[in-house]
Coordinates of all heavy atoms in Angstrom, one line a residue:
M364 N -3.8 59.7 45.2 CA -3.0 60.5 46.1 C -1.8 59.6 46.6 O -1.9 58.4 46.9 CB -3.9 60.9 47.3 CG -3.2 61.5 48.5 SD -4.2 61.9 49.9 CE -4.9 63.5 49.3
E365 N -0.6 60.2 46.8 CA 0.5 59.5 47.2 C 0.3 59.3 48.8 O -0.3 60.1 49.5 CB 1.7 60.3 47.0 CG 2.1 60.4 45.6 CD 2.7 59.2 45.0 OE1 3.2 58.3 45.8 OE2 2.5 59.0 43.8
L366 N 0.9 58.3 49.3 CA 0.8 58.0 50.7 C 1.4 59.2 51.5 O 0.9 59.6 52.5 CB 1.6 56.6 51.1 CG 1.6 56.3 52.6 CD1 0.2 56.2 53.2 CD2 2.4 55.0 52.7
L367 N 2.5 59.7 51.0 CA 3.2 60.8 51.8 C 2.2 62.0 51.9 O 2.0 62.7 53.0 CB 4.4 61.3 51.1 CG 5.3 62.4 51.8 CD1 5.5 61.9 53.3 CD2 6.6 62.7 51.1
D368 N 1.5 62.3 50.8 CA 0.5 63.4 50.7 C -0.6 63.1 51.7 O -1.1 64.1 52.4 CB 0.0 63.7 49.3 CG 1.1 64.1 48.5 OD1 2.1 64.8 48.9 OD2 1.0 63.9 47.3
Y369 N -1.0 61.9 51.7 CA -2.0 61.4 52.7 C -1.6 61.7 54.1 O -2.4 62.2 55.0 CB -2.5 60.0 52.5 CG -3.6 59.7 53.5 CD1 -4.9 60.0 53.2 CD2 -3.3 59.0 54.7 CE1 -5.9 59.7 54.1 CE2 -4.3 58.5 55.6 CZ -5.7 59.1 55.3 OH -6.7 58.6 56.2
L370 N -0.5 61.2 54.5 CA 0.0 61.3 55.9 C 0.2 62.8 56.1 O -0.1 63.2 57.3 CB 1.4 60.7 56.0 CG 1.4 59.2 55.9 CD1 2.8 58.6 56.0 CD2 0.7 58.7 57.1
K371 N 0.5 63.7 55.2 CA 0.6 65.2 55.5 C -0.8 65.7 55.9 O -0.9 66.8 56.6 CB 1.3 66.0 54.3 CG 2.7 65.6 54.3 CD 3.1 66.4 53.0 CE 4.8 66.1 52.9 NZ 5.3 66.7 51.7
T372 N -1.9 65.1 55.5 CA -3.3 65.5 55.8 C -3.6 65.3 57.2 O -4.5 65.7 57.7 CB -4.3 65.0 54.8 OG1 -4.5 63.6 55.0 CG2 -4.0 65.3 53.5
L373 N -2.9 64.2 57.8 CA -3.2 63.9 59.1 C -2.4 64.6 60.2 O -1.3 65.2 59.9 CB -2.8 62.4 59.4 CG -3.5 61.2 58.5 CD1 -3.0 59.9 58.9 CD2 -4.9 61.2 58.8
D374 N -3.0 64.8 61.3 CA -2.2 65.3 62.4 C -1.1 64.5 62.7 O -1.3 63.2 62.7 CB -3.3 65.5 63.6 CG -2.7 66.1 64.8 OD1 -1.9 65.5 65.6 OD2 -2.8 67.4 64.9
P375 N 0.0 65.0 63.0 CA 1.1 64.1 63.3 C 0.9 63.1 64.4 O 1.4 62.0 64.4 CB 2.3 65.1 63.7 CG 1.9 66.3 63.0 CD 0.4 66.4 62.9
A376 N 0.1 63.4 65.4 CA -0.3 62.5 66.5 C -1.1 61.2 65.9 O -1.2 60.2 66.5 CB -1.1 63.2 67.5
E377 N -1.6 61.4 64.7 CA -2.4 60.2 64.1 C -1.6 59.3 63.2 O -2.0 58.3 62.7 CB -3.5 60.8 63.2 CG -4.7 61.4 63.9 CD -5.4 60.1 64.8 OE1 -5.7 59.1 64.1 OE2 -5.5 60.3 66.0
H378 N -0.3 59.8 63.0 CA 0.5 58.9 62.1 C 0.7 57.4 62.7 O 0.6 56.4 62.0 CB 1.9 59.6 61.8 CG 1.8 60.7 61.0 ND1 2.8 61.4 60.6 CD2 0.8 61.5 60.5 CE1 2.6 62.4 59.7 NE2 1.2 62.3 59.7
E379 N 1.1 57.4 64.0 CA 1.3 56.1 64.7 C 0.0 55.3 64.7 O 0.1 54.1 64.4 CB 2.1 56.2 66.0 CG 2.4 54.9 66.4 CD 3.6 55.0 67.4 OE1 4.2 56.1 67.7 OE2 4.0 53.9 68.1
P380 N -1.1 55.8 65.1 CA -2.3 55.0 65.1 C -2.7 54.5 63.8 O -3.1 53.5 63.6 CB -3.4 56.0 65.7 CG -2.6 56.9 66.6 CD -1.3 57.1 65.8
F381 N -2.4 55.4 62.7 CA -2.7 55.0 61.4 C -1.9 53.7 61.0 O -2.3 52.7 60.5 CB -2.5 56.1 60.3 CG -2.7 55.7 59.0 CD1 -4.0 55.6 58.4 CD2 -1.5 55.5 58.2 CE1 -4.2 55.2 57.1 CE2 -1.9 55.1 56.8 CZ -3.0 55.0 56.4
A382 N -0.6 53.8 61.3 CA 0.4 52.7 61.1 C -0.2 51.4 61.7 O 0.0 50.4 61.2 CB 1.7 53.0 61.6
V383 N -0.6 51.5 63.0 CA -1.0 50.4 63.7 C -2.3 49.8 63.0 O -2.5 48.6 62.9 CB -1.3 50.7 65.2 CG1 -2.1 49.6 65.9 CG2 0.0 51.0 65.9
R384 N -3.2 50.7 62.6 CA -4.5 50.3 61.9 C -4.2 49.5 60.6 O -4.9 48.7 60.2 CB -5.3 51.4 61.7 CG -6.1 51.9 62.8 CD -7.3 52.9 62.5 NE -7.0 53.9 61.6 CZ -6.5 55.1 62.0 NH1 -6.3 55.3 63.3 NH2 -6.2 56.0 61.1
V385 N -3.1 49.9 60.0 CA -2.7 49.1 58.6 C -1.8 48.0 58.9 O -1.4 47.3 58.0 CB -2.1 50.1 57.5 CG1 -3.2 51.2 57.2 CG2 -0.9 50.8 58.0
G386 N -1.4 47.8 60.1 CA -0.6 46.6 60.5 C 0.9 46.7 60.3 O 1.6 45.8 60.0
T387 N 1.4 47.9 60.6 CA 2.9 48.1 60.4 C 3.4 49.1 61.5 O 2.6 49.6 62.3 CB 3.3 48.7 59.0 OG1 4.7 48.5 58.9 CG2 2.8 50.0 58.7
T388 N 4.5 49.4 61.4 CA 5.2 50.5 62.3 C 5.2 51.9 61.6 O 5.2 51.9 60.3 CB 6.7 50.1 62.7 OG1 7.5 50.1 61.6 CG2 6.7 48.7 63.4
I389 N 5.4 52.8 62.3 CA 5.5 54.2 61.8 C 6.7 54.3 61.0 O 6.7 54.9 59.9 CB 5.4 55.3 62.8 CG1 5.2 56.7 62.2 CG2 6.5 55.1 63.8 CD1 4.2 57.0 61.2
N390 N 7.8 53.7 61.4 CA 9.0 53.7 60.6 C 8.8 53.1 59.2 O 9.3 53.6 58.2 CB 10.2 53.2 61.4 CG 10.6 54.1 62.6 OD1 10.4 55.2 62.5 ND2 11.2 53.5 63.6
H391 N 8.3 51.9 59.2 CA 8.1 51.3 58.0 C 7.1 52.0 57.0 O 7.3 52.1 55.9 CB 7.6 49.8 58.2 CG 7.5 49.0 56.8 ND1 8.6 48.8 56.0 CD2 6.4 48.5 56.2 CE1 8.2 48.1 54.9 NE2 6.9 48.0 55.1
L392 N 6.1 52.6 57.7 CA 5.2 53.3 56.8 C 5.8 54.5 56.2 O 5.5 54.9 55.0 CB 4.0 53.8 57.8 CG 2.8 54.4 57.0 CD1 2.1 53.3 56.2 CD2 1.8 55.0 58.1
R393 N 6.6 55.2 57.0 CA 7.4 56.3 56.5 C 8.4 55.9 55.3 O 8.5 56.6 54.3 CB 8.3 57.0 57.5 CG 7.4 57.9 58.4 CD 8.3 58.5 59.5 NE 7.4 59.3 60.4 CZ 7.6 59.3 61.7 NH1 8.5 58.6 62.2 NH2 6.8 60.0 62.4
N394 N 9.1 54.7 55.4 CA 9.9 54.2 54.4 C 9.0 53.9 53.1 O 9.5 54.2 52.0 CB 10.6 52.9 54.8 CG 11.7 53.0 55.7 OD1 12.3 54.1 55.6 ND2 12.1 52.1 56.5
V395 N 7.8 53.4 53.3 CA 6.9 53.1 52.1 C 6.5 54.6 51.6 O 6.5 54.9 50.3 CB 5.7 52.3 52.5 CG1 4.7 52.3 51.3 CG2 6.2 50.9 52.9
A396 N 6.2 55.5 52.5 CA 5.7 56.8 52.0 C 6.8 57.5 51.2 O 6.4 58.2 50.1 CB 5.3 57.7 53.1
Y397 N 8.0 57.4 51.6 CA 9.2 58.1 50.9 C 9.8 57.2 49.9 O 10.8 57.5 49.3 CB 10.2 58.4 52.0 CG 9.9 59.8 52.7 CD1 9.4 59.6 53.9 CD2 10.1 61.0 52.1 CE1 9.1 60.7 54.7 CE2 9.7 62.1 52.9 CZ 9.3 62.0 54.1 OH 8.9 63.2 54.8
K398 N 9.1 56.1 49.6 CA 9.5 55.1 48.5 C 10.9 54.5 48.7 O 11.5 54.2 47.7 CB 9.4 55.8 47.0 CG 8.0 56.2 46.8 CD 7.7 56.8 45.4 CE 6.2 57.4 45.3 NZ 5.3 56.4 45.1
Q399 N 11.3 54.4 49.9 CA 12.4 53.6 50.2 C 12.3 52.2 50.3 O 13.1 51.3 50.2 CB 13.0 54.1 51.6 CG 13.4 55.7 51.6 CD 14.4 56.0 50.6 OE1 15.5 55.3 50.6 NE2 14.2 57.0 49.8
R400 N 10.9 51.8 50.6 CA 10.5 50.4 50.7 C 9.1 50.3 49.8 O 8.5 51.2 49.7 CB 10.4 50.0 52.0 CG 11.6 50.0 52.9 CD 12.4 48.7 52.7 NE 13.5 48.7 53.7 CZ 14.7 49.0 53.3 NH1 15.0 49.5 52.1 NH2 15.7 48.9 54.3
V401 N 9.0 49.0 49.4 CA 7.7 48.7 48.7 C 6.8 48.1 49.7 O 7.2 47.2 50.4 CB 7.9 47.9 47.4 CG1 6.6 47.5 46.8 CG2 8.8 48.6 46.5
A402 N 5.5 48.4 49.8 CA 4.6 47.8 50.7 C 4.3 46.4 50.2 O 4.4 46.1 49.1 CB 3.4 48.7 50.7
S403 N 4.1 45.5 51.2 CA 3.7 44.2 51.0 C 2.3 44.2 50.3 O 1.7 45.3 50.4 CB 3.7 43.3 52.2 OG 2.6 43.8 53.0
A404 N 1.9 43.2 49.7 CA 0.4 43.2 49.2 C -0.6 43.4 50.3 O -1.5 44.3 50.0 CB 0.2 41.9 48.5
A405 N -0.4 42.8 51.3 CA -1.4 42.9 52.5 C -1.3 44.3 53.0 O -2.4 44.9 53.3 CB -1.0 42.0 53.6
L406 N -0.1 45.0 53.1 CA -0.1 46.4 53.7 C -0.8 47.3 52.6 O -1.5 48.2 53.0 CB 1.3 46.7 53.9 CG 1.5 48.3 54.3 CD1 0.9 48.5 55.6 CD2 3.1 48.4 54.6
A407 N -0.4 47.2 51.3 CA -0.9 48.0 50.3 C -2.4 47.9 50.2 O -3.1 49.0 50.2 CB -0.4 47.6 48.9
A408 N -3.0 46.7 50.5 CA -4.5 46.6 50.5 C -5.1 47.3 51.7 O -6.1 48.0 51.6 CB -4.9 45.2 50.4
Q409 N -4.3 47.2 52.8 CA -4.9 47.7 54.1 C -4.8 49.2 54.0 O -5.7 50.0 54.6 CB -4.2 47.2 55.3 CG -4.9 47.4 56.5 CD -6.2 46.8 56.6 OE1 -6.4 45.7 56.2 NE2 -7.2 47.5 57.3
I410 N -3.8 49.8 53.4 CA -3.7 51.3 53.3 C -4.8 51.8 52.4 O -5.4 52.7 52.7 CB -2.3 51.7 52.7 CG1 -1.2 51.5 53.7 CG2 -2.3 53.0 52.1 CD1 0.2 51.6 53.2
E411 N -5.1 51.1 51.4 CA -6.2 51.5 50.5 C -7.6 51.5 51.3 O -8.4 52.4 51.2 CB -6.4 50.6 49.3 CG -7.5 50.9 48.4 CD -7.6 50.1 47.1 OE1 -6.5 50.0 46.5 OE2 -8.7 49.8 46.7
I412 N -7.7 50.4 52.1 CA -9.0 50.3 52.9 C -9.0 51.5 53.9 O -10.1 52.0 54.1 CB -9.0 49.0 53.6 CG1 -9.2 47.8 52.5 CG2 -10.1 48.9 54.6 CD1 -9.1 46.5 53.0
E413 N -7.9 51.6 54.7 CA -7.9 52.6 55.7 C -8.1 54.1 55.2 O -8.5 55.0 56.0 CB -6.7 52.5 56.6 CG -6.8 51.4 57.5 CD -7.9 51.5 58.6 OE1 -8.2 52.5 59.2 OE2 -8.4 50.4 59.0
T414 N -7.6 54.3 54.0 CA -7.7 55.6 53.4 C -9.0 55.8 52.7 O -9.1 56.8 52.0 CB -6.5 56.0 52.6 OG1 -6.5 55.0 51.5 CG2 -5.1 55.9 53.4
N415 N -9.8 54.9 52.7 CA -11.1 54.9 52.0 C -10.8 55.1 50.5 O -11.5 55.9 49.7 CB -12.0 56.0 52.5 CG -12.7 55.6 53.8 OD1 -13.0 54.4 54.1 ND2 -12.6 56.6 54.7
G416 N -9.7 54.5 49.9 CA -9.4 54.5 48.5 C -8.6 55.7 48.1 O -8.3 55.8 47.0
L417 N -8.3 56.6 49.0 CA -7.6 57.8 48.6 C -6.1 57.4 48.2 O -5.5 58.1 47.4 CB -7.4 58.8 49.9 CG -8.8 59.6 50.0 CD1 -8.7 60.4 51.2 CD2 -9.4 60.3 48.7
V418 N -5.6 56.4 48.8 CA -4.2 56.0 48.5 C -4.4 54.4 47.9 O -4.4 53.5 48.7 CB -3.2 56.0 49.7 CG1 -1.8 55.5 49.2 CG2 -3.3 57.3 50.3
P419 N -4.6 54.4 46.7 CA -4.9 53.0 46.1 C -3.7 52.1 46.1 O -2.5 52.5 46.2 CB -5.5 53.3 44.8 CG -4.9 54.6 44.3 CD -4.7 55.4 45.7
V420 N -3.8 50.9 45.9 CA -2.9 49.9 45.8 C -1.9 50.3 44.6 O -0.7 50.0 44.7 CB -3.4 48.4 45.6 CG1 -2.4 47.4 45.3 CG2 -4.1 48.0 46.8
S421 N -2.3 50.9 43.6 CA -1.5 51.2 42.4 C -0.5 52.2 42.8 O 0.5 52.3 42.1 CB -2.5 51.8 41.4 OG -3.1 52.9 41.7
V422 N -0.7 53.0 43.9 CA 0.4 53.9 44.4 C 1.5 53.2 45.1 O 2.6 53.5 44.9 CB -0.3 55.0 45.2 CG1 0.7 55.8 45.9 CG2 -1.2 56.0 44.3
T423 N 1.1 52.4 46.1 CA 2.0 51.6 46.9 C 2.6 50.4 46.4 O 3.7 50.1 46.9 CB 1.4 51.3 48.3 OG1 0.2 50.7 48.1 CG2 1.1 52.6 49.1
R424 N 2.0 49.9 45.4 CA 2.6 48.8 44.5 C 2.5 49.1 43.0 O 1.8 48.4 42.3 CB 1.8 47.4 44.8 CG 1.9 47.0 46.2 CD 3.2 46.4 46.6 NE 3.5 45.3 45.8 CZ 4.0 44.2 46.2 NH1 4.4 43.9 47.5 NH2 4.4 43.2 45.5
P425 N 3.3 50.1 42.5 CA 3.1 50.5 41.1 C 3.5 49.5 40.1 O 2.9 49.5 39.0 CB 4.0 51.7 41.0 CG 5.0 51.6 42.1 CD 4.3 50.9 43.3
K426 N 4.3 48.5 40.5 CA 4.8 47.5 39.4 C 3.8 46.4 39.3 O 3.8 45.8 38.2 CB 6.1 47.1 39.6 CG 7.2 48.2 39.6 CD 8.5 47.6 39.8 CE 9.6 48.7 39.5 NZ 11.0 48.3 39.7
D427 N 3.1 46.0 40.4 CA 2.3 44.7 40.3 C 0.9 44.9 40.8 O 0.2 44.0 41.3 CB 3.0 43.5 40.9 CG 3.3 43.8 42.4 OD1 3.1 44.9 43.0 OD2 3.8 42.9 43.0
W428 N 0.4 46.2 41.0 CA -0.8 46.3 41.6 C -1.9 45.6 41.0 O -2.9 45.3 41.6 CB -1.0 47.9 41.7 CG -1.4 48.7 40.4 CD1 -0.5 49.1 39.5 CD2 -2.7 48.5 39.7 NE1 -1.1 49.5 38.4 CE2 -2.4 49.3 38.5 CE3 -4.0 48.3 40.1 CZ2 -3.5 49.5 37.6 CZ3 -5.0 48.5 39.2 CH2 -4.7 49.1 38.0
H429 N -1.9 45.5 39.7 CA -3.0 45.1 38.9 C -3.2 43.5 39.3 O -4.3 42.9 39.3 CB -2.9 45.1 37.4 CG -1.7 44.5 36.9 ND1 -0.4 45.2 37.1 CD2 -1.3 43.4 36.2 CE1 0.6 44.4 36.5 NE2 0.0 43.3 36.0
L430 N -2.0 42.9 39.6 CA -2.1 41.4 40.0 C -2.7 41.4 41.4 O -3.5 40.4 41.7 CB -0.8 40.8 40.1 CG 0.1 40.9 38.7 CD1 1.5 40.3 38.8 CD2 -0.7 40.0 37.7
I431 N -2.4 42.3 42.4 CA -2.9 42.3 43.7 C -4.4 42.6 43.6 O -5.2 41.9 44.3 CB -2.1 43.2 44.5 CG1 -0.7 42.9 44.7 CG2 -2.9 43.4 45.8 CD1 0.2 44.0 45.2
W432 N -4.8 43.7 42.9 CA -6.1 44.1 42.9 C -6.9 42.9 42.2 O -8.1 42.6 42.8 CB -6.2 45.3 42.0 CG -7.7 45.7 41.9 CD1 -8.4 45.7 40.7 CD2 -8.5 46.4 42.9 NE1 -9.6 46.2 41.1 CE2 -9.8 46.5 42.3 CE3 -8.2 46.7 44.2 CZ2 -10.8 47.1 43.0 CZ3 -9.3 47.2 45.0 CH2 -10.5 47.4 44.4
D433 N -6.6 42.3 41.1 CA -7.4 41.3 40.6 C -7.6 40.1 41.6 O -8.7 39.6 41.8 CB -6.8 40.8 39.3 CG -6.9 41.6 38.2 OD1 -7.8 42.6 38.3 OD2 -6.2 41.5 37.1
A434 N -6.4 39.7 42.3 CA -6.7 38.6 43.2 C -7.4 39.1 44.4 O -8.3 38.3 44.9 CB -5.2 38.2 43.8
R435 N -7.4 40.3 44.9 CA -8.1 40.7 46.0 C -9.6 40.9 45.7 O -10.5 40.5 46.5 CB -7.5 42.1 46.5 CG -8.2 42.7 47.7 CD -7.5 43.9 48.1 NE -8.4 44.8 48.8 CZ -8.6 46.0 48.5 NH1 -8.0 46.5 47.4 NH2 -9.5 46.8 49.0
R436 N -10.0 41.4 44.5 CA -11.2 41.6 44.0 C -11.9 40.2 44.0 O -13.1 40.0 44.5 CB -11.3 42.2 42.7 CG -12.8 42.5 42.3 CD -12.9 43.1 40.9 NE -12.4 42.2 40.0 CZ -11.6 42.4 39.0 NH1 -11.2 43.7 38.8 NH2 -11.2 41.6 38.2
N437 N -11.2 39.2 43.4 CA -11.7 37.9 43.3 C -12.0 37.3 44.7 O -13.1 36.5 44.9 CB -10.8 36.9 42.5 CG -10.7 37.3 41.0 OD1 -11.7 38.0 40.6 ND2 -9.7 36.9 40.3
Q438 N -11.1 37.5 45.6 CA -11.3 36.9 47.0 C -12.5 37.6 47.6 O -13.3 36.9 48.2 CB -10.0 37.2 47.9 CG -8.9 36.3 47.6 CD -7.5 36.6 48.2 OE1 -7.5 37.8 48.8 NE2 -6.7 35.8 48.3
M439 N -12.6 38.9 47.4 CA -13.7 39.5 48.0 C -15.1 39.1 47.5 O -16.1 39.0 48.1 CB -13.5 41.1 48.0 CG -12.4 41.6 48.8 SD -12.0 43.4 48.4 CE -13.5 44.1 49.2
V440 N -15.1 39.0 46.2 CA -16.4 38.6 45.4 C -16.7 37.1 45.9 O -17.8 36.9 46.3 CB -16.1 38.6 44.0 CG1 -17.3 37.8 43.2 CG2 -16.1 40.1 43.5
N441 N -15.7 36.1 46.0 CA -16.0 34.8 46.5 C -16.4 34.9 47.9 O -17.3 34.2 48.3 CB -14.7 34.0 46.3 CG -14.4 33.7 44.9 OD1 -15.3 33.8 44.0 ND2 -13.2 33.3 44.5
A442 N -15.7 35.6 48.7 CA -16.1 35.6 50.1 C -17.5 36.2 50.3 O -18.4 35.7 51.1 CB -15.2 36.6 50.9
R443 N -17.9 37.2 49.5 CA -19.3 37.8 49.6 C -20.3 36.8 49.2 O -21.4 36.8 49.7 CB -19.2 39.1 48.8 CG -20.6 39.9 48.9 CD -20.4 41.2 48.5 NE -21.6 42.0 48.9 CZ -22.6 42.2 48.0 NH1 -22.5 41.8 46.8 NH2 -23.7 42.8 48.5
A444 N -20.0 36.1 48.1 CA -21.0 35.1 47.7 C -21.2 34.1 48.7 O -22.3 33.7 48.9 CB -20.5 34.4 46.4
I445 N -20.2 33.6 49.4 CA -20.4 32.6 50.4 C -21.3 33.3 51.6 O -22.2 32.7 52.0 CB -19.0 32.2 51.0 CG1 -18.4 31.4 49.9 CG2 -19.3 31.4 52.4 CD1 -16.9 31.0 50.1
V446 N -21.0 34.4 52.0 CA -21.7 35.1 53.1 C -23.1 35.3 52.7 O -24.1 35.0 53.4 CB -21.1 36.5 53.5 CG1 -22.0 37.3 54.3 CG2 -19.8 36.2 54.1
I447 N -23.4 35.7 51.4 CA -24.8 36.0 51.0 C -25.5 34.6 51.0 O -26.6 34.5 51.5 CB -24.8 36.7 49.6 CG1 -24.4 38.0 49.8 CG2 -26.2 36.5 49.0 CD1 -24.2 38.7 48.4
Q448 N -24.9 33.6 50.5 CA -25.6 32.3 50.5 C -25.7 31.7 51.9 O -26.9 31.3 52.1 CB -24.7 31.2 49.7 CG -24.8 31.6 48.2 CD -23.9 30.5 47.4 OE1 -23.2 29.7 48.1 NE2 -24.0 30.5 46.1
N449 N -24.8 31.9 52.6 CA -25.0 31.4 54.2 C -26.1 32.2 54.8 O -26.7 31.7 55.8 CB -23.7 31.4 54.9 CG -22.7 30.3 54.4 OD1 -23.2 29.3 53.7 ND2 -21.4 30.4 54.7
D450 N -26.1 33.5 54.6 CA -26.9 34.5 55.3 C -28.4 34.6 54.8 O -29.4 34.6 55.5 CB -26.3 35.8 55.3 CG -27.1 36.8 56.1 OD1 -27.4 36.3 57.3 OD2 -27.1 37.9 55.9
A451 N -28.5 34.4 53.5 CA -29.9 34.7 52.9 C -30.5 33.4 52.2 O -31.7 33.5 51.9 CB -29.7 35.8 51.8
T452 N -29.8 32.4 52.1 CA -30.4 31.1 51.4 C -31.0 30.3 52.5 O -30.3 29.7 53.3 CB -29.4 30.4 50.6 OG1 -28.8 31.4 49.7 CG2 -30.0 29.3 49.8
P453 N -32.4 30.0 52.4 CA -33.0 29.0 53.3 C -32.3 27.6 53.1 O -31.9 27.1 52.2 CB -34.4 28.9 52.8 CG -34.6 30.1 52.0 CD -33.3 30.5 51.4
A454 N -32.3 26.9 54.3 CA -31.6 25.6 54.2 C -32.3 24.8 53.3 O -33.5 24.7 53.1 CB -31.8 24.9 55.7
G455 N -31.4 24.1 52.5 CA -31.9 23.1 51.5 C -32.3 23.8 50.1 O -32.6 23.0 49.1
A456 N -32.3 25.1 50.0 CA -32.6 25.7 48.8 C -31.4 25.8 47.9 O -30.3 25.8 48.5 CB -33.2 27.2 49.1
P457 N -31.6 25.9 46.6 CA -30.4 25.9 45.7 C -29.8 27.3 45.8 O -30.6 28.3 46.2 CB -31.0 25.8 44.4 CG -32.5 26.1 44.5 CD -32.8 25.8 45.8
P458 N -28.5 27.5 45.6 CA -27.9 28.8 45.7 C -28.5 29.8 44.8 O -28.8 29.4 43.7 CB -26.4 28.5 45.4 CG -26.3 27.0 45.4 CD -27.5 26.4 45.2
I459 N -28.5 31.0 45.2 CA -29.0 32.1 44.4 C -27.8 32.7 43.7 O -26.8 33.1 44.3 CB -29.7 33.2 45.3 CG1 -30.8 32.6 45.9 CG2 -30.0 34.4 44.3 CD1 -31.5 33.6 47.0
P460 N -27.8 32.9 42.3 CA -26.7 33.6 41.6 C -26.4 34.9 42.1 O -27.4 35.7 42.7 CB -27.3 33.6 40.2 CG -28.3 32.7 40.1 CD -29.0 32.5 41.4
L461 N -25.2 35.3 42.3 CA -24.7 36.5 42.8 C -25.4 37.7 42.4 O -25.9 38.5 43.1 CB -23.2 36.6 42.8 CG -22.7 37.8 43.6 CD1 -22.9 37.7 45.1 CD2 -21.1 37.8 43.4
A462 N -25.5 37.9 41.1 CA -26.1 39.0 40.6 C -27.6 39.2 40.9 O -28.0 40.3 41.2 CB -26.0 39.1 39.0
E463 N -28.2 38.0 41.0 CA -29.8 38.2 41.4 C -29.8 38.5 42.8 O -30.7 39.3 43.2 CB -30.3 36.6 41.1 CG -31.8 36.6 41.3 CD -32.3 35.2 41.1 OE1 -31.9 34.6 40.1 OE2 -33.1 34.7 41.8
E464 N -28.9 38.0 43.7 CA -29.0 38.3 45.2 C -28.7 39.8 45.3 O -29.3 40.4 46.1 CB -27.9 37.4 45.8 CG -27.9 37.7 47.4 CD -29.2 37.3 48.0 OE1 -30.0 36.4 47.5 OE2 -29.5 37.7 49.1
E465 N -27.7 40.3 44.5 CA -27.3 41.8 44.7 C -28.5 42.5 44.4 O -28.8 43.6 45.0 CB -26.1 42.1 43.8 CG -24.8 41.5 44.5 CD -23.7 41.9 43.6 OE1 -23.8 42.1 42.5 OE2 -22.5 41.8 44.2
A466 N -29.3 42.2 43.3 CA -30.4 42.9 42.9 C -31.5 43.0 44.0 O -32.3 43.9 44.1 CB -31.0 42.4 41.7
R467 N -31.6 41.7 44.5 CA -32.7 41.6 45.7 C -32.3 42.5 46.9 O -33.1 43.2 47.4 CB -32.8 40.2 46.0 CG -34.0 39.9 46.9 CD -34.2 38.3 47.0 NE -33.4 37.9 48.0 CZ -33.1 36.6 48.4 NH1 -33.8 35.7 47.6 NH2 -32.4 36.2 49.2
H468 N -31.1 42.6 47.1 CA -30.7 43.4 48.3 C -30.7 44.9 48.0 O -30.9 45.7 48.8 CB -29.2 43.1 48.7 CG -29.1 41.8 49.6 ND1 -29.6 41.8 51.0 CD2 -28.7 40.6 49.3 CE1 -29.4 40.6 51.5 NE2 -28.9 39.9 50.5
A469 N -30.5 45.2 46.7 CA -30.6 46.6 46.3 C -32.0 47.2 46.3 O -32.2 48.5 46.5 CB -30.0 46.8 44.9
A470 N -33.0 46.4 46.2 CA -34.5 46.8 46.1 C -34.9 47.2 47.5 O -34.4 47.0 48.4 CB -35.2 45.6 45.6

């Protein structure tokens, strides 16, 4: 879904709070929605998060979204692995491989 289409689904009174949640101004958000400006990588990622994936990075950064997505995914995987190890591994125990840990949490 395009950002402009997403904004049209919101009540107009929700546009500015949405802009604040994604870390920008309503004017800049409109510029991005009307394709007058390209979203920064951080803004594109935050829009994807706040829209629950309805407006993916590939829409707001069409030329280089794959670079952003790969970097973001790697950062998220690395951060999650650290959290899982810090949260679930007893002190002094060897680290648990991420796939094994995910299987344990899924059970």
